[in-house]
Each structure stands twice: as structure tokens, then as C-alpha cells.
Amino acid sequence: MTNPECATSLAQLTDDKAFLPRHIGPTPTQQAEMAQAIGYPSLEALIDATLPEQIRRAAPMNLEGPRSEQQVLEYLQHYADQNVVKRSVIGMGYHDTFTPAVIQRNVLENPGWYTAYTPYQPEISQGRLEVLLTFQQMVMDLTGMDLANASLLDEGTAAAEAMTLVQRVNKKNRSKRFVVAGDCHPQTIALLRSRAEPLGLMVDVANPDELLDPGEAFGLLVQYPGTYGNVVDLKAITEAGHARNTLVVAASDLLALTLLESPGAQGVDVVVGNTQRFGVPMGFGGPHAAFFATREAYKRSTPGRIIGVSVDRHGNSALRMAMQTREQHIRREKATSNICTAQALLAIMAALYAMYHGPRGLRRIGERVHGLTSLLRQALADAGITVRNEHWFDTLTVEVGEAQSTLIEAALDSGFNLRVVGHDAVGIALDETTTFSEVAQLATLLGADIPPSAVDEQLAPSGIPEALRREVDYLQHPLFNDFHSETAMLRYLKRLENKDISLTRAMIPLGSCTMKLNATTEMLPVTWPEFARLHPFAPMDQCRGYQALFKELEAWLCECTGYDAMSLQPNAGSQGEYAGLLAIRRYHQARGDHQRDICLIPSSAHGTNPASAVMAGMQVVIVACDTQGNVDMSDLRDKVTQHSERLAAIMVTYPSTHGVFEESIVDLCALIHDHGGQVYVDGANLNALIGLAAPGHFGADVSHLNLHKTFCIPHGGGGPGMGPIGVRGHLADYLPNSTVAPIPGLPAENDTVSSAPYGSASILPISWTYIALMGAEGLTRASEVAILNANYVAHRLQRHFDILYTGSAGTVAHECIVDIRPLKAATGISEEDVAKRLVDFGFHAPTMSFPVAGTLMIEPTESESLAELDRFCDAMIAIREEIRRVESGALDAEDNPLKNAPHTLSLVTSDNWPHSYTRQQAAYPVASLRQDKYWAPVSRVDNVYGDRNLFCACPGMEVWQEESATE
Ligand SMILES: *Cc1c(COP(=O)(O)O)cnc(C)c1O
């Protein structure tokens, strides 16, 4: 490092490495001191002792060096400049929208919202839980269904989840056939085909006019309104379907539902769709929140997270994620779906958009879009031009015959992207941002005429069939009616934000989740219009900047992991697992090995692993772990030999979910390969590896990378995320593709795993920026300090708690597991009591009971400073001291600060203090809390009550309805 005081040139005063100390918490001097405290002469010595020699990279990564934030943003601007923002009226589920500025600045661009974690700890998550509950209410109201979840990844995968749900619950019809209306979005149809094949299901595309009698099927999917714009009566379809025991799924559009009769009122069983056009930028495909709504009867089979209303210890209403045990972590291969990370931040934005506009405002937007469409349709009809759809909401399919290509070109020259439909038609979908003069321009392009006076004339006749028109019977809850002024909205947002713990308050030491810095510079490009306003199916020559960025990011990620090819399509780790296992499946099939369907999974695996294996048509065989937490090699040898003929793959996490670098990994990979299997390494723990070791070098064939863990995409309170997969060369031909916008270099017939070809494209610049800032040197240092920080925490805590599992040198990888079971046996104090007591100290709890029940897994990441690590360790040690006092009898076994945690402000200031310890002990157990105190808004939330009395709508609704009924 240069010392500015002795600089001899301007070059020495220019610091390209300026970002490294911003990202990495401990200073170089502290790093050395911490290593010494642990018992190693230097950081390098700690790493040498911890990382098995066999897996170490032979050579450093071939990436450029660190760059400054200014340099990287300039570099990125060159890519942004190569993207062209046109008015895309392509539709197909993606529409331009206005993000209300108050939501953009205070939520989308606000780390208080975007750095929060999934609300597994309800007491510190009431703010985001409230908006997610409102999201569910919004979806239930507009779709007319009993129940909605708190988001899925995209419309296509939501439709696939609906297909598998109706297959599971339809006990009266065990047919394997699923019928899809031909006017569903083509990307959805492609995705359903991929999803169906490994499960032995058949997807048949039916003509829209055959839907009343499509033959034997367990389920049926209709698009409402259809991809070409038509609006059909769902009632006749559901009645006919139900008469033959076929369940009916509708894919729909919330803006259309402000005017159209709800699918629920027409008897539909499941409604799915995308909430993108509710204020979330198209982002070249994502991220945005899909929704999933269904009947009460199917609530326990519903995929994804559901927020429910429960009560806290004192009987106050409190929110929590309902049926958490139903989630994949417990149910594994019997899980309803593999969804883990979803789209919380985007669901929050969509719900806030609905609250900002309210039912009348949304209705107005819907009517305006519809009115403009009707006007265009009228002008076309007057000019003798054929519009194919008889009914419409916002989309028209116009016959143009041989003029198609000239017309598309002319539209481009005027700044519009039209949809290309077949060889003789174009599609036009209008949206919230469409102006009257744009519609006049579109009419002129097509050879029709809209005079300027039309803006003042009586609205053209509606395209919605009489029987399907809807009143404003939705969003009556006060939440949708109280925040229409910006002041009210701003204060509401701040109030909610202040209820939650995000990275803006304290470290979030969640093992396996890697809650590191999400630097502001990395976040800036997300809202640049050149990245935010592109339609995923815009012509290739308008997204050259994105293409160049993807190519470079793919190459960088390949360099980081040792793989030969990368797919940016999967929208989360779970989707990467599924895509990676599908690639393995296709590889075996191509070699004639159709019988290879066994997937070995160690008992310590994350729950998404077995759930994904089942989705990829594999049978899960569990491999035992030994007492050290390593894969039991002798059990593995037995299982591999036993299943040799049928062995498809093994899924292992590296370093293990126990936070250890297993020395046997190289042998493990070789053993699997000897028996013809493939090795899937779950890349969730890559934060311990980048620059030090690469799965592609030590024997793995495929991995997903959670970009929202290792590569700095924020968790958004439960999403978005991205789960690209890296593969070795022999699997490269089986990476996912898109039928609508094919990815250069991939076979056209490949599987589709996301609606958009590059998943949630608009957050990829975050990871690109991180790598560009850090360079090879910075990324390697980040891994080393992640390992250092974990070992430092383990070292400080080991005199007070049992640390489970260490490697042969007695060190851990990038996380450590604290065993609470012996303390519980001695005192009754559980891991949950410790987790909730940490809230009183202002901390988010570590990961609870994963991968081992009764434990806490701590992952500090490289971004936390020595001071913050010490503050956290001090809190844990103070808690241990309280447990000792319970043990000695100085504190009551039941009435103690641990069992009663967290303590709310109202409790501590109450005139009535019935407890056997002081208020001081409850609220200010360490002096530093006097400076900065977080107060949980509710006390401990009742887990059981919420599940027994599942209630997933906004509370107060009935009360409010009763009141308005008596008005
Ligand atoms: C986070 C995680 C996953 C799942 O990733 P999502 O992005 O949440 O779908 C899988 N495996 C492990 C070990 C993880 O920590």
C-alpha cells in the first residue's frame, strides 16, 4: 500500500484499491491481530491450516485488479449506453409502468428495506410482514380467491407450481395429462413442458375454442386475458372442467382484474400471474413478484411462503410466516415445492403501489389503458383493418398480411417495439405509461387515423363482454385507502422500516445466508433506465449492453468457480439446483443412460436439495454423516455400490453445511464419477472458496451460485435472488434456453426454467459491479477474511459454548455452529430463547436449527468489522452468563430474561412489572445499549397459534366491513 505522506507522484495518490477496505471490515493490521489471537502467525497461516491442500487453486484467478467505484461506474455506463430504451408494446406479461417516486426512493433504493432477510424471526420483521400480508390481501381481492401466498419467482414458474399443485390435490382424476390453452404466454408453455417431463406428466396445447371439451385431464390452464388479447368467459370452462374432474388454473393480470370479473367468482381453482406492472420496472425480465392464489382447501399444499396473523405472548396481534415447518427445510423430498428465496422486495413494491393508488386509482389506470385500447381498436375497424381478438382489455392482435416486416421496421423507426405474431400479424399491448399521442402514432403506422379531438369525445365501446364487467368490489381495506397522500405514505414506510432489523442496524449473522455488504455503488445501476426499462423480448440489437455485460459476468463467474460455461437463467438457488439436475438428466439421457435416476444427498443437506431432485425426476437416497459432520465415506461407498447402475448424481454442499472443509471431497467426486454419476456441488457456501479453491477444479460437474449470498445482491426481505449455474464442458449443451428469445449458442430445444431468458436480468449488474470493484485480489481477500471472522467468533465463543464440528486443524470454514442442546438439557433454555434474547441486544439471530436441530449457526462474513464482531460476541457471552444464572438458581427457571425475550418498550415501561429480574436487566443488559437501543414492536410470537388458526388476510377487515355495512 502507498503511504500518502511519502507519495512522490500523482499516480501514488490515486488509489485503485480504495473499495477493498470499504467492503472488508477488519483492517489489515486487525486481520493479523485476529489471526494471532486464534493462534496463527498470520492470516495466510490460518488459511493454509484450514483449507485442504488438495483443493487449493494452482494459480490465482485470472481477473483484473481492483478498481475504484468511479472507474467501475464509468465502465458500466458504457454498457448501459449500448442498451436502447424504446417503447415496448410487446406485452406477453411485461408492461411499462410508473414506479411511484416515493416507493422507488424509500423502498427500492433504501437499504432499510432491501438488506433485510426473510422474516423467519417475526419479532424483528413486523414491518415487512405487514406489507407482505397486504400483498396477499391485494391478490386475494383482485383474483377473488380465499388465499394467496407472499410471492413466487415469475409467472411461468407460478403456473408450473399450479400444475403440480392441482396434480397433487386432484384425487378424483389421476390422469397424467395437463391441457394448456394455446393462447397462454409462449414462455409459460415452454416452461410447463420442461417441468412436466421429469414428473411423467404430459402437457397438451389446446386450441382456445376446444377448452370446453379438451378430453381427459387432471388440470387445465387458461390465460385471462389471453396472450393475444382475447377475453373469454371462465365460468363455462370451469363448469365443464369440474364436470369432468379437471381442475382449472387461470394465469391472469392484476390490472385487467380491476375491470374484469374475478377468476374466483367464475369458479377457478388456482390463479397465478405477475405483479410487475404494479410499479416494478420490466428490468429485461425481472425481478418481479409472481402471485399464487387458491382455495382454502389447498392451503397446506400451497407452494412458497404464506404470511399469517398470530398473537404475541401478551395477546397482541402479531404477524409471522405461517406453517414454517411445512417449508422445504423440514419436508425435504416430500416438500410441496423447492421454493426458498422468492420475490419479497418486489411483492412489497407491488402492494405499496396498490396502497398508493387505492382501488379507485387502480381502476382509473385500468380504465384509461382499456379506453386507449378501445380507441385504437375503433380506429382500426373504421379503416377496415382486421383485429383478431373479439374482446380485449389492453392487447390487440392486428392482421397486417405481407406488410408485417415493413410495419415492424416503421414502428421501430418511430420508437416502438411491436410484438411479431406469426407471419402476418402484430400485437400491441398498451400500458399505464401510454399517452394519447402514442396511440395516435400507432394508429397512423397501421394505416388508421385518430383525430386529436378524440381525446375529448365519448369513450369508444368497451371490449369487455357484458357478463364479465366488474364493480369496484376490491381493496376496501383501510390499508388501501389511507396512504394516498405522499406525506402519509412516506411516514408509513418509515414507520414500518423502523420496526425491522436490517443490515442498516447491525450484523445479521445468519449461517448459510451470507449477509454481507450490499454496497450502494453496486445498487445504483439497478434503477438506471437503460437496465430497468427494457422488455425481455426486445430485439437483440437494443440490448447489446446487457449482452456484453452477461458475457463478461459469465466469464468472470467461470473464472471464480473453475467451470467452462454458465447459465444466468435460474432465478434463485433452488431454480439453479433444478436446472443443474435437469442438465445432468439430459446428459444421461443423451448417452442412453435412461435408468440413471438416483440422487445421493447427505443428511445435512439444505431442504431445497432433495426437493429439487424430486422435481428433476430423481429418487433421493440419503447418505449418513459421521460424528464430525462429514459425509460418511463408508456409507457413501455402500450406497454408490448398491446403486451403481442407477446412479445419476450426488448433491453436496462445499464447504459443508456444517461449515467445514471436508478433506474427502476430491475422493468423493472421483468415487461418484467411477460409478458413472455426476457431482452437483451446492454453491451456497462459495463465500469461503472464491479465489482459494474452485469446484470445477476439484471434481464437481455443476453448481449453482447464490448471487444474493456470495455476490452481493441484497436479500430484499426474502428475495430477489439469482441462482446461475456453472457447468463443466460436457454439460454445456444442456443449459436452459428460451423459445421466445433464444440464447446464442444453445440448442433450441433445451429446457426452460424461468420465464425470461436471463432470469432477473436487472440485478445482474450488482454482481458484475462487485466483481469489477474487487478484482481477483479483493475477492480472494474477501474469502480469507470471511474464514478469519468465523474463526475469530468461534475462538471467542468456544470458552462459553460448545462449537460443533471443526476441520482437522481445529478451525472452521466461513461459519460456525454453536450447540445449545447441552445448555437446554441443563437449564431448559433453548436455542430459540437465545435467538430471541439477542433481539434485546439489537441483533438478528443466527440461523436456528439448521443443519442441526438445537443449534445456532453463525456466519459473520468478511464485511463485519472487528468492533461489530466483538459486540456480537459480547452479547452471546452475556447471554451465556444469564444461562449460568438460571443454572445456579440465581434466575428463575421460567421467569427469566431469556424465556421472556424479547422485551418490548411497553412491557418495560409498564406500571406493572411482575418479573423476578429488573427492568434494567431486561432492556439494558450491556451498557452500550444506552447509546442505541432497538425495541422489538411485539413480544414473542406464538408459533402454534398462528398455524392452528391460519388467517392470511389483513386483520380488521371484518370489523371494517361490519362498520361500513351499518353506515
Ligand atoms: C440458500 C441456500 C439454498 C437455496 O437457495 P435459494 O436462493 O434460497 O433458493 C440452497 N442450499 C443452501 C446450502 C443454501 O444455504
Side-chain angles (χ1 to χ4, degrees):
M1 274 213 155
T2 50
N3 180 353
E5 273 134 61
C6 351
T8 57
S9 68
L10 280 173
Q12 284 180 341
L13 288 168
T14 310
D15 188 2
D16 294 342
K17 295 183 187 174
F19 182 69
L20 300 194
R22 313 267 176 220
H23 178 83
I24 295 175
T27 65
T29 315
Q30 288 171 331
Q31 291 166 21
E33 286 166 4
M34 290 160 74
Q36 281 156 19
I38 300 165
Y40 293 89
S42 64
L43 174 55
E44 287 67 30
L46 167 71
I47 301 300
D48 285 345
T50 302
L51 203 73
E53 187 60 39
Q54 310 89 291
I55 65 162
R56 280 206 87 144
R57 288 186 86 106
M61 294 186 293
N62 183 18
L63 298 172
E64 290 184 28
R67 294 186 185 88
S68 76
E69 291 167 74
Q70 292 71 19
Q71 285 167 339
V72 168
L73 285 178
E74 250 171 62
Y75 177 8
L76 188 57
Q77 189 63 53
H78 287 297
Y79 287 148
D81 291 344
Q82 293 170 50
N83 286 340
V84 183
V85 183
K86 298 232 184 222
R87 282 288 289 121
S88 285
V89 290
I90 297 168
M92 302 175 79
Y94 303 93
H95 306 267
D96 211 350
T97 175
F98 291 126
T99 308
V102 64
I103 296 172
Q104 175 170 330
R105 173 156 293 186
N106 296 290
V107 179
L108 178 58
E109 297 174 338
N110 177 352
W113 284 92
Y114 67 66
T115 67
Y117 186 66
T118 312
Y120 278 102
Q121 296 288 338
E123 296 83 3
I124 52 98
S125 313
Q126 291 295 306
R128 54 195 186 275
L129 284 166
E130 180 165 324
V131 190
L132 290 171
L133 188 75
T134 312
F135 175 85
Q136 293 175 182
Q137 181 75 58
M138 166 185 86
V139 172
M140 286 156 59
D141 277 8
L142 287 166
T143 59
M145 302 302 288
D146 305 329
L147 177 100
N149 74 11
S151 79
L152 286 178
L153 292 165
D154 62 20
E155 180 166 333
T157 53
E161 297 288 346
M163 172 176 75
T164 53
L165 176 130
V166 296
Q167 206 263 333
R168 274 196 307 277
V169 301
N170 193 345
K171 307 280 187 229
K172 292 197 203 134
N173 188 327
R174 303 313 290 163
S175 139
K176 296 277 181 196
R177 185 163 173 265
F178 188 68
V179 174
V180 181
D183 66 344
C184 288
H185 294 320
Q187 69 272 20
T188 302
I189 299 178
L191 198 147
L192 287 171
R193 286 191 196 283
S194 292
R195 209 45 106 70
E197 186 274 335
L199 302 174
L201 304 178
M202 197 167 57
V203 168
D204 273 341
V205 175
N207 234 324
D209 54 19
E210 293 168 357
L211 294 178
L212 292 179
D213 189 12
E216 179 79 357
F218 67 86
L220 169 70
L221 174 71
V222 242
Q223 188 100 37
Y224 177 74
T227 193
Y228 304 112
N230 206 25
V231 181
V232 295
D233 192 335
L234 297 175
K235 199 163 181 187
I237 296 170
T238 40
E239 277 170 7
H242 290 167
R244 327 166 62 102
N245 294 323
T246 300
L247 295 177
V248 177
V249 180
S252 194
D253 168 3
L254 294 188
L255 191 62
L257 293 181
T258 61
L259 304 188
L260 287 176
E261 179 64 289
S262 77
Q266 299 175 75
V268 167
D269 302 288
V270 185
V271 190
V272 297
N274 186 356
T275 61
Q276 178 266 314
R277 70 190 314 181
F278 274 25
V280 182
M282 287 187 283
F284 199 51
H288 355 97
F291 64 84
F292 188 105
T294 187
R295 296 177 181 283
E296 174 80 18
Y298 305 148
K299 67 184 175 197
R300 305 217 177 246
S301 300
T302 300
R305 297 164 177 151
I306 300 176
I307 310 308
V309 183
S310 187
V311 291
D312 76 359
R313 159 101 29 109
H314 299 101
N316 302 311
S317 171
L319 308 177
R320 75 180 268 278
M321 260 162 60
M323 304 184 288
Q324 289 192 20
T325 50
R326 186 202 57 133
E327 286 227 357
Q328 69 281 2
H329 300 281
I330 313 288
R331 311 242 328 147
R332 303 172 63 91
E333 71 266 30
K334 295 191 185 67
T336 49
S337 121
N338 70 340
I339 293 295
C340 181
T341 292
Q343 302 282 19
L345 186 73
L346 304 311
I348 286 169
M349 286 179 68
L352 291 170
Y353 175 94
M355 295 161 85
Y356 177 79
H357 288 294
R360 305 267 156 211
L362 288 179
R363 172 77 169 204
R364 207 185 165 88
I365 294 169
E367 278 178 348
R368 188 169 165 280
V369 173
H370 182 60
L372 287 169
T373 313
S374 304
L375 177 68
L376 180 59
R377 149 95 200 194
Q378 178 85 51
L380 295 173
D382 291 349
I385 298 164
T386 307
V387 173
R388 285 196 183 152
N389 40 314
E390 193 184 339
H391 299 286
W392 62 91
F393 164 64
D394 66 353
T395 301
L396 303 175
T397 300
V398 186
E399 283 197 7
V400 295
E402 287 174 359
Q404 191 199 45
S405 53
T406 10
L407 199 81
I408 299 279
E409 283 305 314
L412 277 172
D413 287 343
S414 311
F416 292 101
N417 290 322
L418 307 185
R419 178 175 181 186
V420 183
V421 179
H423 297 288
D424 55 0
V426 297
I428 296 177
L430 304 186
D431 58 59
E432 180 189 5
T433 72
T434 309
T435 61
F436 175 79
S437 83
E438 284 176 337
V439 175
Q441 247 179 301
L442 287 165
T444 310
L445 273 167
L446 290 161
D449 179 47
I450 297 178
S453 59
V455 74
D456 293 318
E457 284 163 17
Q458 174 81 31
L459 284 173
S462 165
I464 297 173
E466 198 93 40
L468 294 180
R469 294 187 194 160
R470 180 180 194 175
E471 298 302 309
V472 181
D473 58 355
Y474 42 81
L475 311 184
Q476 302 296 306
H477 193 280
L479 281 167
F480 298 105
N481 295 280
D482 286 352
F483 304 108
H484 299 170
S485 95
E486 184 166 324
T487 305
M489 179 55 96
L490 177 70
R491 290 179 187 156
Y492 180 63
L493 292 176
K494 193 48 82 177
R495 199 156 72 235
L496 294 181
E497 182 191 338
N498 288 343
K499 288 186 182 188
D500 290 8
I501 289 186
S502 70
L503 282 175
T504 61
R505 278 188 196 271
M507 75 186 271
I508 300 185
L510 283 164
S512 215
C513 306
T514 314
M515 300 296 288
K516 55 161 71 173
L517 170 74
N518 315 118
T520 309
T521 292
E522 291 153 11
M523 293 301 292
L524 289 176
V526 172
T527 41
W528 291 359
E530 299 90 334
F531 291 125
R533 287 192 73 187
L534 258 54
H535 191 288
F537 307 137
M540 191 61 121
D541 60 3
Q542 292 173 27
C543 43
R544 298 249 178 258
Y546 257 132
Q547 295 296 343
L549 182 143
F550 296 156
K551 231 173 144 189
E552 194 163 43
L553 179 61
E554 285 171 13
W556 289 348
L557 293 176
C558 283
E559 186 57 29
C560 288
T561 53
Y563 287 116
D564 302 314
M566 196 60 61
S567 164
L568 299 175
Q569 187 169 116
N571 268 324
S574 62
Q575 306 302 294
E577 292 171 17
Y578 163 68
L581 292 173
L582 266 189
I584 291 175
R585 178 183 175 86
R586 301 300 175 223
Y587 168 79
H588 287 315
Q589 285 174 338
R591 293 160 48 100
D593 279 344
H594 293 270
Q595 82 290 356
R596 291 199 176 271
D597 65 348
I598 298 252
C599 186
L600 301 175
I601 301 183
S603 57
S604 60
H606 193 268
T608 51
N609 290 187
S612 300
V614 170
M615 282 168 60
M618 295 184 186
Q619 194 181 317
V620 175
V621 172
I622 301 291
V623 181
C625 287
D626 65 19
T627 49
Q628 294 305 303
N630 300 321
V631 173
D632 180 336
M633 286 301 281
S634 95
D635 187 49
L636 178 65
R637 260 181 226 106
D638 290 351
K639 299 239 155 97
V640 167
T641 315
Q642 190 191 337
H643 299 292
S644 185
E645 284 297 298
R646 283 178 59 193
L647 183 63
I650 190 169
M651 288 184 98
V652 285
T653 306
Y654 203 80
S656 72
T657 51
H658 292 134
V660 176
F661 289 108
E662 294 178 48
E663 306 203 350
S664 54
I665 186 72
V666 177
D667 296 341
L668 181 151
C669 294
L671 176 66
I672 299 298
H673 287 147
D674 284 348
H675 288 264
Q678 294 281 293
V679 178
Y680 187 105
V681 165
D682 179 327
N685 288 347
L686 275 179
N687 209 42
L689 288 187
I690 306 296
L692 301 174
H697 296 163
F698 62 67
D701 301 290
V702 44
S703 295
H704 72 261
L705 290 70
N706 304 67
L707 297 188
H708 48 300
K709 295 178 180 170
T710 311
F711 293 94
C712 296
I713 292 176
H715 281 67
M722 271 296 276
I725 52 172
V727 294
R728 301 256 306 276
H730 62 283
L731 295 177
D733 268 349
Y734 308 104
L735 290 174
N737 202 349
S738 159
T739 53
V740 181
I743 296 170
L746 282 180
E749 69 278 8
N750 282 14
D751 292 298
T752 299
V753 304
S754 301
S755 289
Y758 301 95
S760 298
S762 68
I763 52 175
L764 290 173
I766 301 171
S767 298
W768 180 96
T769 303
Y770 172 61
I771 300 174
L773 287 166
M774 298 290 280
E777 179 190 336
L779 291 173
T780 310
R781 186 48 51 93
S783 303
E784 291 170 348
V785 177
I787 294 169
L788 174 71
N789 278 0
N791 278 286
Y792 179 79
V793 170
H795 174 77
R796 275 208 64 193
L797 295 184
Q798 71 186 0
R799 266 167 291 156
H800 309 274
F801 296 91
D802 291 349
I803 305 293
L804 273 188
Y805 309 125
T806 52
S808 55
T811 53
V812 297
H814 65 309
E815 56 196 9
C816 64
I817 299 180
V818 173
D819 195 355
I820 310 295
R821 291 170 299 183
L823 301 178
K824 186 173 178 188
T827 64
I829 300 298
S830 69
E831 72 285 2
E832 188 169 29
D833 297 325
V834 176
K836 304 305 178 190
R837 184 61 174 147
L838 274 168
V839 175
D840 285 333
F841 286 79
F843 284 104
H844 191 295
T847 298
M848 233 169 67
S849 292
F850 171 77
V852 186
T855 65
L856 296 171
M857 180 157 66
I858 301 167
E859 178 180 359
T861 85
E862 70 278 11
S863 298
E864 295 303 338
S865 67
L866 178 56
E868 184 69 355
L869 298 181
D870 278 334
R871 203 170 70 85
F872 175 74
C873 291
D874 291 344
M876 286 293 288
I877 293 166
I879 289 173
R880 180 66 186 88
E881 215 39 62
E882 290 180 344
I883 299 174
R884 258 187 215 110
R885 291 176 60 207
V886 174
E887 203 168 3
S888 72
L891 280 170
D892 186 85
E894 285 309 317
D895 184 31
N896 60 57
L898 294 131
K899 287 273 174 214
N900 292 334
H903 296 81
T904 61
L905 182 58
S906 89
L907 186 77
V908 172
T909 55
S910 161
D911 287 341
N912 175 24
W913 181 257
H915 302 295
S916 58
Y917 50 97
T918 65
R919 291 175 156 100
Q920 170 91 10
Q921 178 70 28
Y924 296 102
V926 289
S928 59
L929 289 171
R930 291 270 170 214
Q931 260 103 66
D932 181 28
K933 171 74 186 168
Y934 167 79
W935 292 102
V938 294
S939 59
R940 195 158 329 170
V941 177
D942 191 328
N943 293 331
V944 180
Y945 179 91
D947 282 353
R948 291 233 178 95
N949 309 282
L950 188 63
F951 187 77
C952 314
C954 293
M957 190 70 183
E958 310 76 18
V959 182
W960 188 87
Q961 270 170 346
E962 276 165 29
E963 281 173 4
S964 58
T966 55
E967 260 170 26

